[in-house]
Each structure stands twice: as structure tokens, then as C-alpha cells.
Amino acid sequence: MTRTILAAVLLAVLMSGCDSNPLYLRLSSNYMPVDGIGSVWEYSVEGGGARIVTVVDQVIIGQRPCYRLQSGARYDYWINEKGRLEHYEDRRVLFNGFEVPVYQAWVTYLEWPLAHGMARRDSASAQVVSQGVTLSHTWIRSTVVTGPETSPNGEWDNCYRVHQQETVINWVQTAGYTPDTVYSVRDIWLAPDVGMVAKITPDSTLTLTNYTPGQ
Amino acid sequence: MKRAILAALAFAVTASAGTADLMAEIGPGFALGGWGSSFGTGLNMGLGGEYRVTPKLRVGASADISTFSHTYSGDASLFMFRPSLRAAFYLNPGSASFNPGIAVSLGMCRTALESGGGTDPSSWDPFWRAGVRWDLSLGHPWRAGLGFDLESVMASEKTGDTFRLVLSVSREVPL
């Protein structure tokens, strides 16, 4: 009898607070499906306007095959493989009317699977000489993931919120110039098998209005 | 569900006569489906006991753990803890080397994910497991078993399926 009671108590303790959540759904999902050519994300911009992001094609950048995403006149390059999402960072400094490339490299943007509290910090420093002047460039990006949670507009469940703080310091090392520091912060909500469904910065809010998966 | 588990567990632990087998299991696990796309081969380990209701039929309980690590970075791990009830049926229990059988388990699975320094909310879900065994003698009272299992964690919205190979060692214990 004692053994029965002990076993029952043990089982009750084990099962107390049983909390089911769709962990396997999240593990199975692609939170940044940038590898489907023809995928289209349509966003509304708070205050008016729209933004459309399209996976245009597959190209080779930095000696690696990647997917090219177009938004207006801007291109972004992404690789989503081997458990990580990588972004091609193409950093340029404006000097004397010229855009001088100072840093181009593939940088890990996120690692899969996402989990509440995961954090990463990426940084790079580079120097180039242009027109006889040294240009230095430093950027630091801190990323913290929280969730799972619902998107700000309540339409998407099991989202992860990606909070990023980025500091960019450009310094044209000649008389009359001082280091120019730009600090930015953004929150991005990623939904399973959809990707970015919302992005909030201090001066803009993007909300996904339509998503068409590609091939 | 809880009542059934409690009743079966009570039956198992209060059995006061006959023979039981205490066992330890180990083996690799392979995720089936997209949930394991970030993970490599897992490792399963378990302990359990079975009561011989008849020479061919055994019922009991077990607890096992599994761990899966990230294929590439090693920064992510998935842990599973599964207390369960089990039943096994063997065709030829007296044989030293030819004793095939089937084994089924039903229980709860706690799944916890750690990744990049973060931890996702853990999940408790029912699971089932079914597989075949090849049981053979290592010399009384020890026996060994080889086999494989299919397993499914019935989590909400998406199941977590696994194929696993099993190597077990058991010891016969008179009650």
C-alpha cells in the first residue's frame, strides 16, 4: 500500500504543471523562408504607404550561392542553411560624394532553432583608404530573442520577437571630421513558415498584410 | 488518462509474487520530420522494470531520457524525459536465443529546448512508442535485448516522431 501511495505521489509530482505547447511545430517551422523564389511579403507602413519584399532569384555573392531579396531599389542577400541564417553585410561610407565600400562579408544573423532568451553579439571593424584619406568603420549589433508570443496585431501565433540594437561608427580620419555614431533599435516578429510579420522601430511600424510563398 | 496510469502503476508496484525484470536501455534516436532538421542523432537512455504476468506477457514502467544536439554549432540541445507504462509480449520466453517480441509504451514526455543561451518553455505531452525486440540470454539471470522503436510525441499542432534503436540489458528478479 505504501508503495502504491509513493508511486501515485511521484506520478502526481511529475505530471503537475503539465504544460503543452506547440514546441514541435516551432521546431518544424522555417522562421525566415527566404529560399523560395517568388515569395512576396506585402507590408503596410503606419502612417501610410506600403513595402513589398520579393525573393527575386538566386545569385552568387561573396563566393557563396544565396537568395536575393528586393525591396524597392534595395537588394539584400540571405543564406538559410546549416542551422543558421546569414546576411550579406555591405557597409559603405559616404565621403566626398562617393559611396566607399568598407566592409563586405557574410555575417550570421540568427541561429536555429530560436528560443526564448537566446542572445548574440556581432561586430566588425574595417579601414580603407580613399582619395588618400583613411575611412574607418565599426558596427556592433546585439540581438536578443524572446517568445513565443503573438504578433503585435494579434494575427500570428508562435512568433519570436527579435530585438536588435545596432551601433555604427564611421570616421573619416582627416581634418574637419569627427567620428559619426548612428544608433538604431528595432523589434522584429518572426512567424512560423511566414517570416517577418511585423517590424517596429522608433520611427516606423511595418505590418504584414499579405504573404505569398514562392517555389 | 491519469487514472489509467495510476492504476497500472499501482498494479505494477504492488505485485507481490512472481518474477520481474529490471532493465537498462540505451541507443541512438533519429528525428523523423522537420522538427529534427537542426539536430543530429540523439542518444536515449532508460531504466525500467517489467512484471511477468504470464511467461509471455510483461507489464511495467520505465523512465528514459533523450538528448539531441545541434548538427552544426552545438549551441542547441533538446532534452526529453519520458516516464511511461510499458507492456511487452514475447513469443518464445524460454529460449536462450530465439525470443522475438513486441513492446509498447504509453506515457508523458517532457520536452525542453535550449538554444543560443536561451530556453524555450518546456512542454508536457502524451506519447506512445511501439517496437520489436529480439531477446536472448546472457546466462541466468541476465538477458539482453536488441530492437527498434517508433515513437510519437503527441504535442499540440504537430507531433514529434522518432525512430530509435534499442540495446537493453535486463536482470531477472524473483518477487
Side-chain angles (χ1 to χ4, degrees):
Chain A
M1 186 59 188
T2 306
R3 282 183 291 178
T4 307
I5 293 171
L6 283 174
V9 169
L10 178 63
L11 200 63
V13 169
L14 286 173
M15 295 178 69
S16 64
C18 287
D19 187 17
S20 180
N21 70 62
L23 176 59
Y24 290 90
L25 170 76
R26 297 197 299 275
L27 287 170
S28 305
S29 300
N30 185 348
Y31 276 85
M32 198 69 174
V34 293
D35 46 5
I37 294 174
S39 295
V40 180
W41 294 264
E42 298 176 41
Y43 298 94
S44 66
V45 180
E46 191 180 66
R51 181 180 170 193
I52 297 175
V53 180
T54 307
V55 181
V56 181
D57 54 11
Q58 202 172 11
V59 295
I60 293 178
I61 296 289
Q63 300 181 326
R64 296 182 65 187
C66 59
Y67 288 92
R68 180 164 64 159
L69 274 65
Q70 182 179 14
S71 173
R74 175 191 164 94
Y75 290 114
D76 275 299
Y77 303 93
W78 297 89
I79 295 173
N80 191 1
E81 64 181 22
K82 294 186 176 178
R84 61 170 59 99
L85 178 70
E86 295 174 87
H87 181 245
Y88 189 71
E89 301 289 342
D90 185 2
R91 304 283 173 161
R92 294 163 190 267
V93 173
L94 192 63
F95 175 55
N96 268 355
F98 292 96
E99 267 195 344
V100 182
V102 290
Y103 180 76
Q104 287 80 35
W106 285 103
V107 176
T108 300
Y109 195 82
L110 289 170
E111 284 187 285
W112 313 121
L114 298 177
H116 175 81
M118 70 187 301
R120 61 176 300 112
R121 185 177 185 275
D122 301 291
S123 63
S125 289
Q127 284 190 336
V128 295
V129 176
S130 173
Q131 301 168 58
V133 174
T134 300
L135 311 177
S136 70
H137 172 83
T138 301
W139 71 270
I140 304 161
R141 184 170 63 209
S142 299
T143 302
V144 177
V145 176
T146 54
E149 61 183 51
T150 304
S151 64
N153 65 357
E155 280 196 25
W156 308 92
D157 290 328
N158 288 298
C159 294
Y160 284 99
R161 177 180 183 172
V162 179
H163 177 78
Q164 289 185 325
Q165 294 176 324
E166 192 166 301
T167 303
V168 177
I169 305 168
N170 292 324
W171 187 13
V172 179
Q173 297 182 18
T174 187
Y177 290 90
T178 54
D180 179 35
T181 302
V182 176
Y183 175 77
S184 59
V185 61
R186 65 185 78 94
D187 285 284
I188 296 167
W189 280 261
L190 301 177
D193 293 326
V194 175
M196 191 179 87
V197 295
K199 179 180 177 181
I200 296 179
T201 66
D203 52 7
S204 72
T205 298
L206 266 64
T207 304
L208 184 71
T209 55
N210 190 40
Y211 168 60
T212 307
Q215 300 297 318
Chain B
M1 175 70 182
K2 277 187 182 180
R3 284 180 187 171
I5 292 173
L6 285 172
L9 194 62
F11 170 78
V13 299
T14 56
S16 59
T19 305
D21 294 278
L22 301 178
M23 65 185 66
E25 292 183 338
I26 193 168
F30 307 91
L32 302 175
W35 73 269
S37 59
S38 297
F39 298 105
T41 303
L43 177 67
N44 307 303
M45 290 179 287
L47 295 171
E50 289 178 343
Y51 175 70
R52 295 188 184 179
V53 179
T54 69
K56 291 187 175 182
L57 178 65
R58 304 171 187 182
V59 296
S62 67
D64 56 89
I65 58 171
S66 300
T67 178
F68 291 82
S69 294
H70 198 282
T71 310
Y72 301 102
S73 72
D75 281 346
S77 298
L78 190 77
F79 298 98
M80 302 160 96
F81 169 64
R82 289 170 293 232
S84 62
L85 299 173
R86 54 189 292 152
F89 184 81
Y90 289 94
L91 291 175
N92 196 12
S95 170
S97 60
F98 179 71
N99 186 22
I102 57 170
V104 295
S105 296
L106 188 65
M108 297 293 288
C109 177
R110 179 183 187 274
T111 313
L113 170 69
E114 293 181 6
S115 181
T119 305
D120 242 23
S122 61
S123 179
W124 270 104
D125 306 290
F127 85 96
W128 62 263
R129 177 190 295 155
V132 298
R133 293 287 184 277
W134 188 279
D135 179 65
L136 56 137
S137 174
L138 295 176
H140 187 78
W142 295 95
R143 297 192 73 83
L146 297 168
F148 63 85
D149 287 330
L150 284 173
E151 177 183 293
S152 183
V153 180
M154 295 176 283
S156 58
E157 299 192 43
K158 189 100 176 177
T159 60
D161 302 332
T162 308
F163 173 80
R164 60 180 218 153
L165 300 174
V166 181
L167 170 64
S168 70
V169 176
S170 62
R171 188 182 195 281
E172 189 179 312
V173 179
L175 297 176

